[in-house]
Amino acid sequence: MQSARSVAGFWIIAAMLFVALASSAVPSPIYPVYAAEWHLTPLMLTGVFAIYVAGLLGSLLVAGRLSDHVGRKPVLVVGGLALTLSLGLFSGADGLGALIVDRILQGVSVGLLIGALGAALIDNSLQRHPTLAGVLNGAVPPFALAAGAMSSGALVEWGPAPEQFVYVLFGALLLLMVLALFIVPEQVQRRPGALRSLRPTISVPRSSRALFRGVAGALIASWALGGLFLSLVPSALGQVFGIENHFAAGALIAVVTGIGALTGLAIQRVDARIGVLIGLVALILGPIVTVAFVFAHSLPGLVVGSAVAGVGFGAGFQAPLRMLLATAAPTHRAGLLSTIYVVSYLAFGVPAVIGGLLEPAVGLVPVIAGYGAFIVLAAAVALVLQLVSRSSASVEQQASEVLERTATGSIRTAE
């Protein structure tokens, strides 16, 4: 019988994952305020976005496997406190330099947290619902991004102290999560190699490599789409549609990420390979519809395109993630999750940075169109590979079959 402490620990870890990732989306709806107040150009804002991604990737590469050696809780405490500090610094930011420093610290902190949180969630899997940890690992990130963007947009538009209050709110929530870690049981025993694990590396367990190659295209396309909507599409609301309401930008992001999360929940009982195919088709259609209606200056059409894109964002990420997590032993989970996020955030950040560099020369709408074309191309190539690959089908089927056994086995080990 699973202990009450382990059950409570599961939900505390899930809540901390939600709050941490939601806080990462908080600055996006505030960027227009910073731009107007500090006279920031789109290129400067893109640089701030790139700095965050660089900090996150660096942290994932260096410390992604650390919790497999020293335990989850030490990494979670350090990462949680550092992220809380970054949110406090955001509330006092007074210019571009401060924004850059804060965003670097935020990226490093989130990178330190996400692999350890995802692994800890599986370590404390619920005995009655052994597959729920894998589902939440995929569903929480898009739900969190939606909640962070919408709450930030609402508070900036209608709340007090738009450049301070939302950061203080999320900082307080995160600090509560760090304190609640006292309840969470540590399921990972310390083992040698902690310092060696800090050597920057990409770590994919041998048991996961074939599947990882087969689904990497879906991860890239889905997170590139996320980068498009978090970095450039909200700007089109002002430049193309004349909408300056900050909540509208957060709501548009929430359409994509929220529907993505709901899609992940809806397909959890669907064969994972079919889920990948659904995601890739939507990743092709979504950007096409979105870009077409941006050119047509149709706001309802833009929302429809965003909804279709959200299906792709959810299924294209969550189905591969669910399969990959099923193939990794407990001592390799954090490293695998960190590698998945390295690939995902590279796809999330690099095209957005390139788009920001090109925007002053070619204009926002052509950049959005080119960005959308890249996503469509990546998804189309991944779809073709999925349809013609017989070996990936067998590997994915094996992963789906061991998912429940892996989760159940981790619970028995914890007991």
Side-chain angles (χ1 to χ4, degrees), residues 54 59 72 101 140 157 209 213 256 318 332 348 362 398:
S59 181
R72 311 296 185 209
V101 172
V140 167
E157 186 65 28
R209 290 175 187 172
R213 288 192 296 268
V256 177
Q318 294 181 56
H332 294 117
F348 181 77
V362 302
Q398 292 171 16

Side-chain angles (χ1 to χ4, degrees), residues 16-357:
M16 188 172 182
L17 179 63
F18 181 89
V19 174
L21 290 177
S23 72
S24 71
V26 165
S28 293
I30 310 178
Y31 283 161
V33 178
Y34 294 143
E37 185 173 329
W38 300 334
H39 308 290
L40 304 182
T41 66
L43 183 58
M44 292 176 180
L45 292 176
T46 301
V48 172
F49 179 83
I51 284 292
Y52 166 77
V53 174
L56 188 148
L57 289 173
S59 181
L60 282 171
L61 288 170
V62 172
R65 298 178 297 154
L66 184 61
S67 75
D68 287 334
H69 295 271
V70 303
R72 311 296 185 209
K73 290 174 69 172
V75 174
L76 296 182
V77 170
V78 172
L81 291 176
L83 185 54
T84 302
L85 175 61
S86 76
L87 294 170
L89 293 174
F90 268 117
S91 67
D94 57 1
L96 179 62
L99 199 60
I100 289 173
V101 172
D102 299 347
R103 204 64 164 136
I104 291 174
L105 180 58
Q106 187 183 42
V108 170
S109 305
V110 172
L112 193 62
L113 285 171
I114 53 178
L117 283 168
L121 198 63
I122 298 175
D123 294 340
N124 292 278
S125 292
L126 299 179
Q127 187 172 9
R128 292 185 177 182
H129 306 284
T131 62
L132 183 60
V135 173
L136 290 182
N137 259 309
V140 167
F143 265 132
L145 292 174
M150 286 194 70
S151 60
S152 177
L155 290 171
V156 170
E157 186 65 28
W158 299 302
E163 296 171 54
Q164 289 84 33
F165 181 71
V166 66
Y167 294 119
V168 173
L169 176 63
F170 274 91
L173 289 173
L174 194 59
L175 188 58
L176 288 175
M177 295 296 102
V178 173
L179 294 174
L181 288 174
F182 175 78
I183 301 173
V184 181
E186 178 62 77
Q187 308 286 18
V188 175
Q189 294 186 352
R190 289 177 177 266
R191 61 190 181 98
L195 289 178
R196 189 167 57 251
S197 75
L198 296 177
R199 185 175 56 211
T201 185
I202 296 292
S203 174
V204 178
R206 186 179 302 274
S207 59
S208 307
R209 290 175 187 172
L211 178 60
F212 190 89
R213 288 192 296 268
V215 300
L219 299 174
I220 291 170
S222 59
W223 278 84
L225 183 138
L228 171 64
F229 276 87
L230 263 74
S231 64
L232 293 177
V233 169
S235 298
L237 291 177
Q239 293 192 29
V240 178
F241 300 98
I243 298 173
E244 302 296 338
N245 185 290
H246 299 297
F247 178 73
L252 187 63
I253 294 171
V255 168
V256 177
T257 55
I259 289 180
L262 292 172
T263 299
L265 294 176
I267 66 169
Q268 62 175 298
R269 297 189 181 278
V270 175
D271 180 88
R273 187 166 184 259
I274 294 175
V276 174
L277 297 176
I278 291 172
L280 290 171
V281 170
L283 284 166
I284 293 171
L285 296 177
I288 291 174
V289 175
T290 299
V291 171
F293 283 114
V294 168
F295 274 104
H297 291 206
S298 170
L299 184 60
L302 174 63
V303 175
V304 170
S306 301
V308 176
V311 173
F313 180 64
F317 174 63
Q318 294 181 56
L321 181 67
R322 181 156 52 100
M323 292 187 293
L324 285 166
L325 289 176
T327 64
T331 53
H332 294 117
R333 284 173 185 156
L336 175 61
L337 272 168
S338 295
T339 299
I340 291 170
Y341 279 114
V342 165
V343 172
S344 300
Y345 272 96
L346 279 172
F348 181 77
V350 172
V353 172
I354 294 173
L357 293 172

